[in-house]
Amino acid sequence: MATVKMSWSAVALVGLFISVAPVSAFAEVPGNPDRGKALFKQCSACHQVGETAQNAFGPVLNGVVGRKAATYPGYNYSFALQDANKKGLVWTDALIVQWLHGPSDFVRLYLGNTKAHSKMPIMVEDLQARLDVVAYLSTLAHVTSNPDTAGHDMSLMVAAPKDMNDPVDKLERVKLELVAPPLLPQHEQATTAGPKVVVVELTVQEKKWVLDNDGTEIMALTYNGSIPAPAMVVHEGDYVELTLKNPSTNLMEHNIDLHAVTGKLGGAALTTVTPGNQATIRFKAIKSGTFLYHCAPEGIMTPYHVTHGMTGVIVVLPRQGLTDEKGNPLTYDRAYYVGENEFYVPRDAAGKFKRYTFSGEDLNDWVNSMHSLTPSHIVFNGRVGALTGSNAMKAKVGERVLFIHMQGNRDTRPHLIGGHGDYVWETGTFASPPLKDVQTWFVRGGAAGAALYTFKQPGLYVYLNHNLIEAVEFGAAGHVMVEGDWNFDLLKSTYHGPLKE
Ligand code: CU
């Protein structure tokens, strides 16, 4: 066996797998299938096997040894694997061992294309582990499953007829300059102009991200490098031309599902891009409100990406601006956008937060951690303290401030200590009359809400999630520093001292 292993090692190290003679699909692999079966549990977050297997984020792997690349029915393969299929790639055991060492490196070498990219973010360094997994997969050569070819319509185009004269092409085009949260981009609160085409660009950045003051770090997934992603502001009836770019330095597939979009998974089905690609959609903002947007690459990858930071907000203002229950205009002097995110950082055996070196490496651990439904961090604007102290939001007495609060996944209950929500659109729907004089409002997970408050007193206000454990112990809190003169009529101290008789 030792000499056989040597030759397998040589195959793996040399990397010139294309010249390796094909290995029979049923050849004995120098791996341990039982150990491989145990190791495969880590792959099962994305891949199913067995008679009831269905495609998930990855394709069904029954019979993968000996199968032509990119041929399992109903699965939406990467462009790279579709190209490899055209070149005639057939998965032998040796090639899968190579593939597991680095799927994107594999397709680059195979296709001679340095920009090619696989959707699979996992790399397995340990050769014996790869041999064991492939030995296990070889035992599934004759297992059959019924492919589910329905419900996987990821067709990438909804093209208008070529000769269609689109009147929207004649509308004024305006580029929306995005800014980092908690600020909103410059915008008009109301407009008398007709609908425009608002041009927006988002670039996905996979990057290291520190979550707290202890230096707990994750490989975050972000739009434009911030958590939460930048806010967009448009008016009802506008068209949004949105481009999503996925640079080739990234490792994972991404897309965007905006709750303001009608059809095609909120745009996710039209914007799914592997690294080195980009996609553009144009949608009409037909409903006003504060809407969540987030990444939604299918299956377990959707909560995985959302809990790695890929959530943002698009504000669709009524053309006449915000109004009270009688239709009177409500304007604001400032606007802030608080994105609340929760994270599920995996811990090691000693209970310490684990660190990872590339995006996707934490997939299996993170999924296990998510299953607890118990976050490790619940924070405003991406990290503990992002909106406190010198990072506090600012206002002046007499100013009316719009607070938009977004949570992509989990319910929350914003509260301004010592203040109120004068007008609150809890669900974010500006077409509904606002609630008035609310102490604590509810923002359901998967949504964003809005509140207006006119500050009447100066000082430091705490704006928090009024689950006080989540605010104090997990980080879901921020500050508003307000300048101005004190109003003693509203509040004054009349005695503070020892107990009186
Ligand atoms: Cu993503």
Side-chain angles (χ1 to χ4, degrees), residues 353-373:
F353 290 124
K354 289 171 82 169
R355 279 206 181 189
Y356 301 86
T357 53
F358 59 89
S359 54
E361 190 187 9
D362 64 0
L363 178 65
N364 199 61
D365 291 346
W366 194 279
V367 169
N368 284 336
S369 182
M370 285 196 306
H371 285 175
S372 72
L373 295 173

Side-chain angles (χ1 to χ4, degrees), residues 184 228-232 257-260 288-294 311-316 336-341 402-414 424-432 441-451 463:
L184 274 74
M232 309 171 198
D257 165 354
L258 302 103
H259 292 187
S288 68
T290 51
F291 296 95
L292 173 72
Y293 71 83
H294 63 94
T311 54
V313 76
I314 175 167
V315 181
V316 183
Y336 290 112
Y337 148 51
V338 176
E340 182 173 334
N341 290 73
L402 176 69
F403 292 97
I404 292 162
H405 198 106
M406 175 276 291
Q407 224 299 8
N409 199 55
R410 209 167 164 277
D411 300 341
T412 181
R413 43 204 69 70
V424 177
W425 295 266
E426 263 201 345
T427 60
T429 53
F430 292 137
S432 307
W441 45 105
F442 180 73
V443 177
R444 41 187 56 65
Y463 174 96

Side-chain angles (χ1 to χ4, degrees), residues 59-88:
V60 171
L61 292 182
N62 296 335
V64 66
V65 181
R67 185 200 289 169
K68 193 169 184 192
T71 53
Y72 194 84
Y75 184 71
N76 176 38
Y77 286 93
S78 65
F79 298 129
L81 272 186
Q82 291 177 41
D83 287 347
N85 167 290
K86 287 181 203 133
K87 273 190 84 171

Side-chain angles (χ1 to χ4, degrees), residues 204 206 221 223 252-255 295-297 301 305-306 310:
V204 178
E206 300 173 358
L221 309 176
Y223 296 104
M252 306 189 86
E253 179 183 70
H254 302 280
N255 63 21
C295 193
M301 283 300 184
H305 284 230
V306 163
M310 297 192 84

Side-chain angles (χ1 to χ4, degrees), residues 10-39:
V11 171
L13 291 170
V14 171
L16 295 173
F17 49 80
I18 295 162
S19 61
V20 172
V23 178
S24 156
F26 311 114
E28 194 183 325
V29 177
N32 177 336
D34 291 334
R35 188 163 172 264
K37 187 176 182 179
L39 287 168

Side-chain angles (χ1 to χ4, degrees), residues 165-283:
N165 205 346
D166 191 339
V168 178
D169 292 338
K170 297 195 175 69
L171 296 179
E172 184 192 359
R173 291 167 65 82
V174 186
K175 183 162 170 40
L176 184 69
E177 299 293 346
L178 300 175
V179 297
L183 300 177
L184 274 74
Q186 275 206 336
H187 62 274
E188 288 183 304
Q189 295 185 33
T191 179
T192 51
K196 305 185 278 260
V197 177
V198 181
V199 180
V200 187
E201 190 175 300
L202 288 174
T203 301
V204 178
Q205 292 180 30
E206 300 173 358
K207 61 194 282 193
K208 277 190 184 154
W209 188 272
V210 176
L211 288 173
D212 57 28
N213 299 327
D214 300 327
T216 304
E217 193 178 279
I218 61 166
M219 291 303 296
L221 309 176
T222 73
Y223 296 104
N224 281 20
S226 68
I227 300 177
M232 309 171 198
V233 183
V234 303
H235 288 95
E236 190 177 348
D238 283 346
Y239 294 82
V240 181
E241 186 184 285
L242 172 67
T243 296
L244 181 67
K245 293 187 170 179
N246 191 355
S248 54
T249 44
N250 287 342
L251 291 173
M252 306 189 86
E253 179 183 70
H254 302 280
N255 63 21
I256 185 166
D257 165 354
L258 302 103
H259 292 187
V261 164
T262 312
K264 282 280 173 190
L265 310 180
L270 306 179
T271 53
T272 301
V273 275
T274 47
N277 294 286
Q278 67 180 63
T280 302
I281 55 171
R282 190 195 79 195
F283 65 91

